[in-house]
């Protein structure tokens, strides 16, 4: 079995399956069976080496040959991008949520998500980093690390508020309700687009969309859809009001909102609370809470946290020493010192303080707060630190415990899914899988049912 002109004297190195058993080392003519693997044919007779794989062919080469010695990758990072992405820096943790493909012209440097804040480090668990010390960040200025966040809901292209209003009207008109049609609209429109649908509905039909939805829906699916139609600032203010309204206080709701929002978001929430409910949020907090927890929440309400992204490592060292002397290094605890540092420093600054503290105290700051505080003030301080270290991990943990065990805390589940759906729910999902070895969608599917389940899964995305 031979082909004209093949093999030239010296032959070729054998590929699997070639030559057929018992026959001389030959290859089919060019053009058959995907040979030769690269333009230009086989290497010269007598051996030689294959040319390095071109970047467009991937690495290893698409035809299966080694790119000897590698090839220079765009942007100069080690290795080449693969179909599933590449580790963003040497030694980066692997698994769900990691291996994000590089972005930008020429891949310009490393990409880092909140899930990848530390090289080799896992999520900021409630007890802190393993071994009591956060691993050191990768060399290079923090400003060069790009923290990308992404929501599962994006603004719909070719959006038509009137068309969507008509779809919702038809879904609710007559006998019965077409819940799937409602889900298809609300789960695939941004919050801003939903406000426009609400306005178009009133213009077109002279009716209030929210009242119509309330009359057609009930239970958790009603709460979820109404939450989706609230502007984000109003929804936060509404959640805070309901957490303090009537007998008892839902302190975890106050912590979740006031300890995680940006300065601008907090100021807008405080103003909205006043304009929509005619109440002063500080007065309501003072009436419903007390002691160090009250003072922490009042500090949060000011919306005056330093938001400078540049880290002052000398100040981090001083703050770490101050916190150690206020807690582990003395009998009793100076709570006001913890309040001052955690309420006023920027999140990147707090991250540096956590690292400095672990070297001074030989334990991580989260563990020290565990030992020095209890109750709601402990939960509030830890929420601030967890957001500084890894915000998606904080929300992943809250979601997990809203569904763990008997029953479901539906209000917490709804609130976090809705409020993070356009911000960082993609990263929260990744952290959830990494922390609990199951997907968020799997846990939602096993804990909910009916239209409520369908809508939640549509927002979360499969």
């Amino acid at each position: 079995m031979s082909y004209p002109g093949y093999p030239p004297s010296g032959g070729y190195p054998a590929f699997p399956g070639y030559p057929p058993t018992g026959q001389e080392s030959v290859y089919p003519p060019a053009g058959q069976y995907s040979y030769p693997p690269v333009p230009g044919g086989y290497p010269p007779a007598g051996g030689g080496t294959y040319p390095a794989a071109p970047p467009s062919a991937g690495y290893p080469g698409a035809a299966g040959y080694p790119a000897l010695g590698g090839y220079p990758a765009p942007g100069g990072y080690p290795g080449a991008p693969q179909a599933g992405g590449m580790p963003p820096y040497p030694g980066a943790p692997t698994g769900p949520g990691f291996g994000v493909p590089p972005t930008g012209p020429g891949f310009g440097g490393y990409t880092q998500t909140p899930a990848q804040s530390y090289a080799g480090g896992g999520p900021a668990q409630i007890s802190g980093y393993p071994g009591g010390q956060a691993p050191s960040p990768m060399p290079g200025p923090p400003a060069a690390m790009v923290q990308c966040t992404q929501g599962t809901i994006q603004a719909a292209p070719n959006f038509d508020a009137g068309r969507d209003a008509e779809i919702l009207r038809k879904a609710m008109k007559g006998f019965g309700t077409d819940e799937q049609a409602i889900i298809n609209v609300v789960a695939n429109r941004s919050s801003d687009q939903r406000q426009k649908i609400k306005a178009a509905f009133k213009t077109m039909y002279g009716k209030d969309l929210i009242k119509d939805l309330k009359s057609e829906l009930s239970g958790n699916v009603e709460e979820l859809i109404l939450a989706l139609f609230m502007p984000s600032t109003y929804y936060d203010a509404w959640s805070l009001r309901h957490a303090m309204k009537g007998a008892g206080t839902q302190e975890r709701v106050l912590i979740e909102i006031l300890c995680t929002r940006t300065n601008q978001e907090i100021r807008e929430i405080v103003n909205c609370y006043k304009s929509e409910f005619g109440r002063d949020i500080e007065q309501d907090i003072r009436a419903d809470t007390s002691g160090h927890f009250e003072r922490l929440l009042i500090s949060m309400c000011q919306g005056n946290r330093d938001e400078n992204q540049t880290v002052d490592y000398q100040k981090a060292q001083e703050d770490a020493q101050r916190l150690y002397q206020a807690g582990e290094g003395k009998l009793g605890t100076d709570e006001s010192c913890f309040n001052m540092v955690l309420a006023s420093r920027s999140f990147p600054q707090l991250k540096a303080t956590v690292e400095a503290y672990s070297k001074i105290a030989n334990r991580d700051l989260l563990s020290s707060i565990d030992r020095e505080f209890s109750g709601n003030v402990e939960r509030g301080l830890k929420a601030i630190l967890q957001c500084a270290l890894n915000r998606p991990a904080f929300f992943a943990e809250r979601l997990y415990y809203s569904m763990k065990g008997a029953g479901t805390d539906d209000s917490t589940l709804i609130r976090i899914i809705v409020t993070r759906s356009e911000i960082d729910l993609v990263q929260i999902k990744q952290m959830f899988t990494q922390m609990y070895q199951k997907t968020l969608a799997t846990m939602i599917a096993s804990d909910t049912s009916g239209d409520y389940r369908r809508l939640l899964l549509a927002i979360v995305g499969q």
Side-chain angles (χ1 to χ4, degrees):
M1 175 178 170
S2 62
Y3 296 90
Y6 288 94
S9 72
Y12 296 111
F15 277 76
Y18 289 95
T21 307
Q23 298 188 40
E24 66 271 18
S25 180
V26 293
Y27 289 91
Q32 293 190 28
Y33 306 105
S34 300
Y35 291 100
V38 290
Y42 298 104
T49 58
Y50 289 99
S56 61
Y59 178 75
Y65 59 83
L68 299 176
Y71 58 88
Y77 58 82
Q82 300 175 18
M86 56 159 286
Y89 45 77
T94 57
F98 297 99
V100 178
T103 57
F107 303 105
Y110 299 122
T111 300
Q112 189 182 44
T113 70
Q116 301 155 326
S117 296
Y118 292 101
Q125 301 286 0
I126 194 161
S127 58
Y129 285 91
Q133 181 171 336
S136 299
M138 287 300 295
M145 298 296 188
V146 181
Q147 290 206 337
C148 304
T149 54
Q150 184 185 353
T152 54
I153 292 182
Q154 311 289 332
N158 306 316
F159 171 66
D160 184 334
R163 182 181 59 206
D164 286 345
E166 190 176 353
I167 291 169
L168 294 177
R169 173 72 175 139
K170 285 180 180 176
M172 295 184 284
K173 191 177 180 181
F175 184 74
T177 306
D178 184 352
E179 288 88 354
Q180 190 59 52
I182 297 173
I183 289 170
N184 290 343
V185 171
V186 299
N188 294 290
R189 305 292 183 271
S190 68
S191 178
D192 182 59
Q193 289 175 334
R194 290 186 213 109
Q195 306 317 308
K196 291 174 180 173
I197 294 169
K198 199 160 55 174
F201 193 92
K202 185 170 280 189
T203 299
M204 293 166 68
Y205 303 111
K207 302 183 73 177
D208 187 276
L209 174 59
I210 303 306
K211 286 183 180 175
D212 275 15
L213 287 168
K214 279 184 175 179
S215 68
E216 297 289 330
L217 304 167
S218 62
N220 291 322
V221 72
E222 177 190 350
E223 183 181 343
L224 177 53
I225 286 180
L226 295 185
L228 287 164
F229 273 103
M230 290 184 196
S232 57
T233 300
Y234 178 85
Y235 185 40
D236 277 344
W238 179 89
S239 298
L240 291 169
R241 177 70 193 120
H242 278 258
M244 294 185 280
K245 192 177 180 181
T249 305
Q250 298 171 43
E251 291 87 354
R252 290 177 187 270
V253 178
L254 305 183
I255 292 168
E256 179 196 306
I257 295 173
L258 294 175
C259 293
T260 66
R261 303 304 193 248
T262 66
N263 287 346
Q264 183 180 346
E265 287 169 341
I266 286 174
R267 290 169 189 160
E268 289 172 353
I269 290 164
V270 169
N271 291 335
C272 180
Y273 194 93
K274 180 77 171 176
S275 62
E276 294 294 330
F277 307 114
R279 303 179 69 88
D280 184 277
I281 195 168
E282 279 191 36
Q283 290 180 6
D284 282 357
I285 287 171
R286 292 186 197 282
D288 272 62
T289 62
S290 61
H292 298 295
F293 181 54
E294 173 196 324
R295 289 196 276 279
L296 179 64
L297 293 181
I298 295 297
S299 294
M300 294 296 100
C301 281
Q302 307 314 302
N304 282 330
R305 180 182 298 283
D306 178 14
E307 292 189 331
N308 184 352
Q309 298 301 294
T310 303
V311 173
D312 182 338
Y313 290 97
Q314 179 62 37
K315 182 189 279 187
Q317 189 72 25
E318 292 166 3
D319 282 346
Q321 188 66 47
R322 185 181 287 130
L323 291 173
Y324 179 72
Q325 295 299 334
E328 295 277 359
K330 65 175 284 188
L331 186 64
T333 307
D334 180 358
E335 292 88 356
S336 63
C337 177
F338 280 82
N339 193 104
M340 183 275 290
V341 173
L342 270 65
S344 61
R345 304 295 189 248
S346 71
F347 286 127
Q349 185 69 33
L350 284 176
K351 185 185 287 188
T353 303
V354 168
E355 290 181 51
Y357 185 92
S358 65
K359 293 171 185 170
I360 292 170
N362 288 321
R363 80 168 72 245
D364 66 74
L365 186 51
L366 285 165
S367 296
S368 290
I369 289 173
D370 261 337
R371 291 158 60 93
E372 299 292 322
F373 294 88
S374 62
N376 290 313
V377 68
E378 175 198 341
R379 282 190 279 272
L381 292 170
K382 286 165 75 172
I384 294 168
L385 279 185
Q386 285 176 299
C387 282
L389 293 168
N390 193 326
R391 191 181 306 257
F394 168 77
F395 286 110
E397 183 180 72
R398 291 278 288 142
L399 285 169
Y400 178 75
Y401 285 103
S402 75
M403 294 180 279
K404 187 178 184 289
T408 304
D409 180 355
D410 293 294
S411 291
T412 295
L413 177 59
I414 290 168
R415 187 175 57 255
I416 296 177
I417 294 296
V418 171
T419 57
R420 311 313 293 183
S421 62
E422 292 181 52
I423 301 172
D424 55 1
L425 191 51
V426 168
Q427 282 72 30
I428 292 168
K429 285 166 55 181
Q430 292 168 349
M431 288 311 304
F432 192 98
T433 303
Q434 186 180 338
M435 292 164 70
Y436 303 111
Q437 288 73 55
K438 64 174 77 174
T439 67
L440 176 58
T442 300
M443 199 160 182
I444 287 172
S446 65
D447 248 58
T448 59
S449 60
D451 295 319
Y452 178 46
R453 174 200 285 165
R454 279 193 287 277
L455 181 50
L456 281 172
L457 292 177
I459 297 168
V460 167
Q462 298 304 303

